[in-house]
Amino acid sequence: MHPVGLAAAGTPRQRKWPSKRRIPVSQPGMADPHQLFDDTSSAQNQGYRAQRAPGGLGYPAASASPQAAFLADPVSNMAMAYGSSLAAQGKELVDKNDWEVQYQQDTPVAPRFDVNAPDLYIPAMAFITYVLVAGLALGTQDRFSPDLLGLQASSALAWLTLEVLAILLSLYLVTVNTDLTTIDLVAFLGYKYVGMIGGVLMGLLFGKIGYYLVLGWCCVSIFVFMIRTLRLKILAEAAAEGVPVRGARNQLRMYLTMAVAAAQPLLMYWLTFHLVR
């Protein structure tokens, strides 16, 4: 198109843009002239953004310090600390009270220094208490008499004597070299009176159901106890002598251990079943 035509059509409008105000750019190390104080919020904001939770909800993430973790959830942390303390105490108790009996120069430590050492306090007190409980059971059934109570005591004492003599004779025939003494056998065999007392008392309170439940649990406990105890006393000596595990003599020792352990539940039932009706 000819320039004259453009002129005739009119001069096009010129769009006015707002004028921009130039803001002086501060050089590095120079303070903003319009700012009275230094802006220290940028570094804090960067640290705040670094601690924001991944969800982007604007809440700061939990701190890794123990104090902040405890303040965040004090109940669960207190429970965890208490549970850890109980576990540590239980492990320490198990390590301290191991099943094995302590020795000092090939001699067992006295019971006052070792809780696992056999002593006659519990068997003696249990035997006396068993006689008293038997008298109580007979009295509640209108069957009490001094002669019958004496028969209960003498029967329990006679069975204990027969047990000790039978074990000593068996150890002699099997030729087992062990440090088991007569007092040790009396102590180990006398622990069954504790279970007998519990069974009779539960029978007086709850009838035969309570008697069988409690006596059954005590029979299992005394069986496991005798197995673990006599195994350390009899089979450990065989291993020290170099006797083969599957040897004939070692098999006899295992049978002897099982027989002594199995006899305890039978005697517990035989001495108490007639006291509960």
Side-chain angles (χ1 to χ4, degrees):
M1 185 178 293
H2 199 273
V4 179
L6 291 173
T11 305
R13 290 185 177 180
Q14 296 181 358
R15 186 175 297 174
K16 294 183 180 181
W17 299 89
S19 59
K20 297 181 179 180
R21 181 180 179 184
R22 293 187 177 181
I23 301 176
V25 180
S26 59
Q27 298 295 331
M30 297 180 60
D32 191 353
H34 299 282
Q35 186 174 357
L36 298 179
F37 302 99
D38 294 337
D39 187 8
T40 59
S41 62
S42 59
Q44 297 177 355
N45 292 335
Q46 291 178 359
Y48 177 77
R49 295 190 187 96
Q51 296 179 357
R52 291 171 70 96
L57 298 178
Y59 295 98
S63 176
S65 62
Q67 294 83 0
F70 180 80
L71 293 176
D73 195 355
V75 177
S76 61
N77 285 277
M78 185 178 298
M80 291 177 62
Y82 183 68
S84 302
S85 177
L86 286 181
Q89 292 178 4
K91 184 178 182 301
E92 181 181 358
L93 184 63
V94 171
D95 295 338
K96 184 184 301 182
N97 300 327
D98 199 4
W99 193 274
E100 298 180 357
V101 178
Q102 301 178 9
Y103 286 83
Q104 184 177 5
Q105 297 180 356
D106 299 333
T107 303
V109 180
R112 62 178 178 272
F113 300 119
D114 185 10
V115 296
N116 294 320
D119 65 294
L120 292 178
Y121 177 78
I122 295 178
M125 296 302 297
F127 179 81
I128 297 173
T129 307
Y130 160 73
V131 175
L132 296 177
V133 171
L136 176 63
L138 294 174
T140 56
Q141 301 168 9
D142 296 332
R143 296 189 298 143
F144 177 81
S145 66
D147 295 337
L148 190 56
L149 184 62
L151 181 62
Q152 293 292 326
S154 60
S155 298
L157 188 59
W159 279 109
L160 180 63
T161 304
L162 288 177
E163 282 186 279
V164 174
L165 293 178
I167 294 174
L168 291 176
L169 179 60
S170 301
L171 292 176
Y172 174 76
L173 295 178
V174 183
T175 63
V176 176
N177 296 325
T178 178
D179 58 352
L180 273 175
T181 63
T182 305
I183 301 300
D184 294 339
L185 290 176
V186 173
F188 290 139
L189 298 175
Y191 289 142
K192 64 175 172 288
Y193 294 115
V194 178
M196 294 164 57
I197 295 170
V200 174
L201 289 178
M202 290 299 104
L204 295 177
L205 294 176
F206 303 103
K208 287 192 174 182
I209 296 179
Y211 165 75
Y212 284 115
L213 288 177
V214 175
L215 187 69
W217 184 83
C218 294
C219 289
V220 174
S221 300
I222 195 65
F223 179 81
V224 175
F225 169 77
M226 295 301 294
I227 288 291
R228 297 187 64 179
T229 302
L230 296 180
R231 182 184 60 183
L232 294 175
K233 293 290 186 179
I234 298 177
L235 299 181
E237 294 291 336
E241 295 173 2
V243 178
V245 177
R246 297 185 180 274
R249 291 178 57 188
N250 202 16
Q251 292 291 331
L252 290 177
R253 297 176 183 185
M254 294 177 60
Y255 293 150
L256 176 60
T257 303
M258 295 291 294
V260 175
Q264 305 309 304
L266 296 177
L267 289 174
M268 292 172 65
Y269 175 74
W270 177 257
L271 295 172
T272 56
F273 79 97
H274 58 279
L275 298 175
V276 178
R277 290 184 177 180

